[in-house]
Amino acid sequence: MKFNEDSRVKIPSILHLARLGYDYLSLKNATWDKDTNIFTNIFLNSVLNINEGLTEDDAGRLLEEISLLLDNEDLGKAFYERLVERSGVRLVDFENFENNTFHVVTELTYKKDDEEFRPDITLLINGMPLVFIEVKKPNNQDGILKEKNRINTRFQNKKFRKFVNITQLMVFSNNMEYDDGSPLPIEGAFYAAPSYQEPIFNYFREEEELDLNQLLKPEDDEIENLVLKDNNLVVIKHLPEFATNKKPDTPTNRICTSLFSKGRLAFLLQYSIAYVHEEGGLEKHIMRYPQLFATKAIERKLNGGVRKGIIWHTQGSGKTALAFFNVKFLTDYYNRQGIVPKFYFIVDRLDLLIQVSKEFKSRGLMVQNVNSRDEFARTIKSKRRWRTIPESRKSQWLTSRNLRTTRMWCVIRITT
């Protein structure tokens, strides 16, 4: 038979995601809300399960609330803040992530009026389509670039606003290794956050030694038969190329493991996303892979009892963004230990003060100048305590002070 992107990449990736703990769901007998692509029954049952005392009427009103949030012209910011909310009625259980439901579907139609598109693979968390994956067969010279252009056109279409707003992460892959000599994302597996304009395609290089024996379930012949039959590809089951394409070390399967194993996905949803006010409008940024692994390294060192250290980054690698992401991450890290942390971001030049102040403001931090050594000392010695409130409502501000005449300190302090 003639192999195509379905047989070479899509079906093997679906089976790999099944091994990562995503239940395959056939669309043939499934029902979902065509306006949001939320699988209503799965959503209602899931939120009832993770929210003790929630009634069916409450769950129904929650679904209506989400639909209204997704109508906003805010790149999904209000929905995202609701998604990661930990107090009150939760959409996702981040305390016990395994308590949520995980499904993988294929060729789910995203349709509004007479316009539509169908991602190759969609991941549902508690029935919500938070992730989609587009795949191309290898050696398709223009496949990734064409897909990039298509997604730009689709996401600029206001008819698809709800679908853009609910999507948190996208992957595009032609199942090839990266071509490091190419200035454009032509070959490889890339990830991106949604955008109303032009998503930025990011490389991902795994830097941890993942235990695949722990992360992956054994291959399940029953699930494989179900997927192949549902996609009319039973004929490939015993072909050597299919066996090769199912292996965990293919580029697409590797990035799926790195991003969508449940521990990683929980981390990404909570800590890797930032909404940034740029001159051209609101943008949604996602951690670059070096920022992710720097954050994980900080966590490992803290867990090992280390209390000080240096993170070395090259110019242009996103040091300021890393600081912002870690304010979110470390606030939660210490709050779980009953500690209210303070963060200080120090620079030694006025131009850097202006730059980082702008960067932190654009990410929602409030800026306050501290004009003396004594005032700075008071911020350190302050023993004020705050009540714990949800991440999306934490007040944040940046302070700076004059140290001698030429050295400026920028200080991030988070109240919780």
Side-chain angles (χ1 to χ4, degrees), residues 156-213:
Q156 290 169 21
N157 187 339
K158 290 192 175 184
K159 290 186 176 182
F160 296 140
R161 278 294 181 262
K162 282 192 172 183
F163 303 132
V164 178
N165 289 347
I166 200 171
T167 301
Q168 304 305 311
L169 181 60
M170 307 176 293
V171 165
F172 303 84
S173 174
N174 65 356
N175 213 31
M176 296 180 69
E177 302 296 341
Y178 296 122
D179 179 3
D180 292 328
S182 173
L184 297 174
I186 296 175
E187 297 177 357
F190 305 89
Y191 70 107
S195 169
Y196 286 161
Q197 301 300 324
E198 185 174 349
I200 298 173
F201 280 33
N202 298 282
Y203 291 76
F204 194 97
R205 302 181 194 276
E206 182 59 55
E207 294 185 0
E208 294 184 342
E209 291 292 333
L210 301 178
D211 185 352
L212 296 183
N213 290 326

Side-chain angles (χ1 to χ4, degrees), residues 14 23-27 39 103-108 119-124:
I14 289 173
D23 294 330
Y24 179 75
L25 179 64
S26 172
L27 297 182
F39 284 63
H103 292 87
V104 55
V105 300
T106 181
E107 304 295 337
L108 175 64
D120 294 309
I121 300 171
T122 302
L123 300 185
L124 311 174

Side-chain angles (χ1 to χ4, degrees), residues 55-180:
T55 67
E56 292 184 3
D57 287 342
D58 293 333
R61 284 190 290 270
L62 181 61
L63 188 60
E64 293 173 0
E65 175 193 344
I66 292 173
S67 183
L68 290 174
L69 291 177
L70 293 174
D71 265 329
N72 292 348
E73 191 77 11
D74 63 352
L75 199 49
K77 185 174 185 292
F79 170 74
Y80 174 72
E81 291 173 349
R82 187 66 184 83
L83 181 71
V84 297
E85 181 71 76
R86 293 189 182 185
S87 68
V89 179
R90 298 167 297 168
L91 298 182
V92 176
D93 185 351
F94 286 108
E95 299 302 320
N96 180 10
F97 201 61
E98 288 282 355
N99 204 25
N100 302 293
T101 57
F102 303 86
H103 292 87
V104 55
V105 300
T106 181
E107 304 295 337
L108 175 64
T109 301
Y110 289 57
K111 184 175 182 178
K112 179 67 174 179
D113 298 331
D114 59 343
E115 299 189 56
E116 65 180 61
F117 67 98
R118 288 179 316 198
D120 294 309
I121 300 171
T122 302
L123 300 185
L124 311 174
I125 313 302
N126 292 344
M128 297 176 289
L130 302 185
V131 176
F132 72 72
I133 304 167
E134 292 282 13
V135 298
K136 296 297 173 187
K137 64 182 179 180
N139 300 310
N140 183 345
Q141 285 293 321
D142 298 322
I144 293 293
L145 290 180
K146 286 182 178 178
E147 194 59 54
K148 189 173 189 290
N149 292 333
R150 277 194 289 268
I151 206 66
N152 292 346
T153 301
R154 290 166 181 163
F155 280 14
Q156 290 169 21
N157 187 339
K158 290 192 175 184
K159 290 186 176 182
F160 296 140
R161 278 294 181 262
K162 282 192 172 183
F163 303 132
V164 178
N165 289 347
I166 200 171
T167 301
Q168 304 305 311
L169 181 60
M170 307 176 293
V171 165
F172 303 84
S173 174
N174 65 356
N175 213 31
M176 296 180 69
E177 302 296 341
Y178 296 122
D179 179 3
D180 292 328

Side-chain angles (χ1 to χ4, degrees), residues 22-46:
Y22 294 82
D23 294 330
Y24 179 75
L25 179 64
S26 172
L27 297 182
K28 292 177 179 176
N29 298 312
T31 59
W32 63 94
D33 174 20
K34 305 298 192 298
D35 190 45
T36 61
N37 273 359
I38 294 174
F39 284 63
T40 310
N41 291 339
I42 296 175
F43 174 83
L44 295 174
N45 290 332
S46 297

Side-chain angles (χ1 to χ4, degrees), residues 242-400:
F242 179 56
T244 299
N245 293 334
K246 288 191 298 179
K247 291 182 178 179
D249 60 355
T250 66
T252 307
N253 289 346
R254 287 205 310 266
I255 199 171
C256 285
T257 301
S258 293
L259 298 180
F260 306 134
S261 58
K262 292 178 183 177
R264 279 280 175 83
L265 182 61
F267 176 90
L268 289 169
L269 290 177
Q270 293 177 92
Y271 305 117
S272 76
I273 292 171
Y275 282 88
V276 185
H277 292 272
E278 301 283 15
E279 291 183 2
L282 188 64
E283 295 182 1
K284 187 173 186 175
H285 291 186
I286 192 164
M287 273 184 173
R288 303 177 195 173
Y289 76 89
Q291 295 164 344
L292 185 154
F293 291 116
T295 303
K296 301 296 285 184
I298 292 171
E299 181 183 30
R300 285 196 303 274
K301 292 297 184 181
L302 291 174
N303 288 340
V306 175
R307 291 295 175 263
K308 57 184 177 180
I310 295 174
I311 300 172
W312 185 85
H313 268 262
T314 57
Q315 185 174 359
S317 60
K319 297 181 288 295
T320 305
L322 174 65
F324 170 81
F325 285 125
N326 271 273
V327 165
K328 291 178 63 178
F329 174 73
L330 291 174
T331 296
D332 269 10
Y333 178 89
Y334 283 109
N335 280 347
R336 287 195 295 269
Q337 303 174 43
I339 299 171
V340 178
K342 293 182 181 180
F343 301 88
Y344 299 91
F345 190 94
I346 303 168
V347 299
D348 60 359
R349 298 199 318 270
L350 179 59
D351 62 322
L352 288 181
L353 171 64
I354 295 171
Q355 176 188 334
V356 299
S357 296
K358 181 180 178 181
E359 289 291 329
F360 289 136
K361 281 182 179 179
S362 71
R363 287 165 171 78
L365 302 183
M366 297 173 61
V367 177
Q368 176 184 339
N369 291 327
V370 177
N371 298 312
S372 69
R373 183 189 296 269
D374 290 341
E375 189 174 350
F376 177 72
R378 286 196 296 273
T379 70
I380 297 177
K381 295 177 182 179
S382 172
K383 296 186 180 300
R384 181 181 176 185
R385 291 292 180 265
W386 300 270
R387 66 187 178 89
T388 300
I389 58 177
E391 178 70 35
S392 60
R393 299 176 186 168
K394 290 176 182 174
S395 61
Q396 310 176 350
W397 65 86
L398 173 72
T399 66
S400 65

